[in-house]
């Protein structure tokens, strides 16, 4: 169990990126969902001991993450949103080098570890190719391979599917689902479908604060009967935003479909809509904006 209590972080320029974040994250895939600038990467960097928070605590089992960062690093796998590689190196050579840095000094053991990870991430056939020749999805799978060195018990993946095509995204989902059964895996993303597809537990972060948390079923159930939709002309959108709590809008065959969150039937041609996790997300973000005036943080 990863336990985060009252975590706050303010950067030297005065921007408060995290505001009293409290979360308990059990084994399995955990989705941290939020818009760009919500503070997700700041939280991931703090958990990964890349920065010290202004206040608060983080524990992982018996380990105090902030007081003993070296101990958590020995059991941590981290795939940041942007990670650098040596483009002229091959996947095999780089994984071998990183395995040495992780303390796997026995050559035979290291060979077994590296080849096993290449097989697991479906990169074995291209293990000798330079990373500069890899597609975006292949690079992300290499990123997971390096994060898995040393059998980590806590794995952090930050925006892992951004920019991937549907085939690579599906392949990456299958890989994450496979590794997320016996360890804590935090999936930080702004893509709702990633969380819907993979995570039995989740939280929504906006403006540096946790604004909603639970299982996807609990969160969608909480707004059952409160989501309504209507097809309108695009020119009518601003008027409807003034009259209703419009949480999102979509284009469909040249027409605009709007969704509103209200306990009462808004009338005016609106129809009931079965809530989805996307409705949960947009409702939470809309509510946060009304309370704080913004949903953004560094």
């Amino acid at each position: 169990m990863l336990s985060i209590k009252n975590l706050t972080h303010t950067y030297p320029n005065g921007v408060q990126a995290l505001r009293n974040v409290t979360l308990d994250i059990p084994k399995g895939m955990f989705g941290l969902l939020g818009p760009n600038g919500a503070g997700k990467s700041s939280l991931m960097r703090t958990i990964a001991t890349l920065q010290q928070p202004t206040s608060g605590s983080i524990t992982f089992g018996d380990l105090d993450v902030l007081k003993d960062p070296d101990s958590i690093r020995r059991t941590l796998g981290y795939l940041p949103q942007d990670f650098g590689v040596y483009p002229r190196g091959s996947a095999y050579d780089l994984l071998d080098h990183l395995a040495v840095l992780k303390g796997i000094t026995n050559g035979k053991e290291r060979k077994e570890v590296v080849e096993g990870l290449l097989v697991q991430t479906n990169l074995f056939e291209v293990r000798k190719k330079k990373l500069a020749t890899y597609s975006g999805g292949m690079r992300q799978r290499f990123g997971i391979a390096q994060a898995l060195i040393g059998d980590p018990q806590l794995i952090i993946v930050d925006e892992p599917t951004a920019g991937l095509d549907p085939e690579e995204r599906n392949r990456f989902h299958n890989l994450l689902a496979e590794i997320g059964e016996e360890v804590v895996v935090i999936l930080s993303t702004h893509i709702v479908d990633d969380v819907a597809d993979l995570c039995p537990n989740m939280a929504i972060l906006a403006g540096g604060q946790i604004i909603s948390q639970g299982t996807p079923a609990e969160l969608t159930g909480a707004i059952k009967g409160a989501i309504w939709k209507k097809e309108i002309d695009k020119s009518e959108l601003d008027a409807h935003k003034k009259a209703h709590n419009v949480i999102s809008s979509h284009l469909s065959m040249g027409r605009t479909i709007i969704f509103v969150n209200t306990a009462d039937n808004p009338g005016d041609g609106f129809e009931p809509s079965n809530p989805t996790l996307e409705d949960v997300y947009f409702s939470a973000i809309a509510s946060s904006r009304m309370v704080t005036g913004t949903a953004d943080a560094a």
Side-chain angles (χ1 to χ4, degrees):
M1 172 80 74
L2 180 71
S3 183
I4 302 167
K5 301 296 184 187
N6 302 316
L7 200 69
T8 295
H9 187 64
T10 302
Y11 286 105
N13 62 3
V15 173
Q16 191 172 27
L18 300 172
R19 307 165 190 255
N20 294 313
V21 172
T22 295
L23 282 172
D24 287 322
I25 302 177
K27 279 186 178 180
M29 294 288 300
F30 183 91
L32 182 68
L33 189 61
N36 291 330
K40 301 188 303 298
S41 292
S42 289
L43 179 57
M44 297 303 98
R45 288 196 299 269
T46 304
I47 297 171
T49 73
L50 297 178
Q51 64 184 25
Q52 280 284 322
T54 306
S55 61
S57 66
I58 307 173
T59 56
F60 184 59
D62 295 330
L63 299 178
D64 188 314
V65 174
L66 302 181
K67 291 182 179 179
D68 190 8
D70 286 341
S71 292
I72 194 66
R73 288 167 188 164
R74 284 192 282 271
T75 191
L76 172 70
Y78 184 36
L79 174 58
Q81 184 174 354
D82 297 304
F83 68 98
V85 296
Y86 296 104
R88 296 183 181 180
S90 70
Y92 187 98
D93 290 342
L94 283 176
L95 284 181
D96 184 73
H97 175 66
L98 291 169
V100 172
L101 296 179
K102 276 276 191 173
I104 306 175
T105 56
N106 181 278
K108 182 180 179 182
E109 179 188 359
R110 193 166 66 249
K111 182 175 185 291
E112 291 175 354
V113 168
V114 170
E115 290 185 352
L117 289 172
L118 289 166
V119 170
Q120 185 177 3
T121 54
N122 198 28
L123 292 173
F124 189 78
E125 296 301 319
V126 293
R127 65 191 183 281
K128 293 298 184 181
K129 289 189 175 182
K130 295 178 179 179
L131 288 179
T133 67
Y134 278 17
S135 67
M138 293 164 69
R139 281 171 56 92
Q140 288 298 82
R141 281 185 275 134
F142 173 82
I144 279 290
Q146 62 82 26
L148 293 177
I149 295 173
D151 294 322
Q153 296 302 299
L154 171 61
I155 299 171
I156 298 170
V157 288
D158 193 0
E159 300 286 1
T161 65
L164 299 188
D165 63 45
E167 183 179 7
E168 279 288 8
R169 180 174 167 272
N170 186 60
R171 185 180 289 119
F172 199 81
H173 277 194
N174 291 335
L175 176 58
L176 286 177
E178 176 186 333
I179 66 176
E181 295 181 356
E182 297 298 328
V183 300
V184 176
V185 181
I186 304 174
L187 170 63
S188 172
T189 183
H190 67 279
I191 302 174
V192 176
D193 286 344
D194 284 355
V195 174
D197 292 345
L198 293 170
C199 301
N201 294 284
M202 61 171 291
I204 299 174
L205 182 73
Q209 296 176 297
I210 299 297
I211 56 176
S212 187
Q213 60 180 300
T215 70
E218 289 170 348
L219 296 177
T220 53
I223 59 171
K224 188 174 182 179
I227 303 299
W228 306 81
K229 66 180 180 180
K230 180 182 178 181
E231 185 178 295
I232 63 171
D233 286 324
K234 186 177 181 180
S235 61
E236 302 174 298
L237 181 58
D238 287 342
H240 277 86
K241 284 183 175 180
K242 292 178 181 178
H244 304 287
N245 179 26
V246 177
I247 59 171
S248 65
S249 62
H250 304 285
L251 284 175
S252 177
M253 294 183 291
R255 297 280 287 177
T256 298
I257 300 175
I258 60 172
F259 294 81
V260 305
N261 183 338
T262 177
D264 300 319
N265 188 335
D268 194 24
F270 278 92
E271 301 176 354
S273 178
N274 288 325
T276 65
L277 197 59
E278 188 172 82
D279 295 322
V280 170
Y281 175 64
F282 285 125
S283 294
I285 297 301
S287 176
S288 174
R289 285 178 177 146
M290 285 190 292
V291 171
T292 65
T294 180
D296 294 330

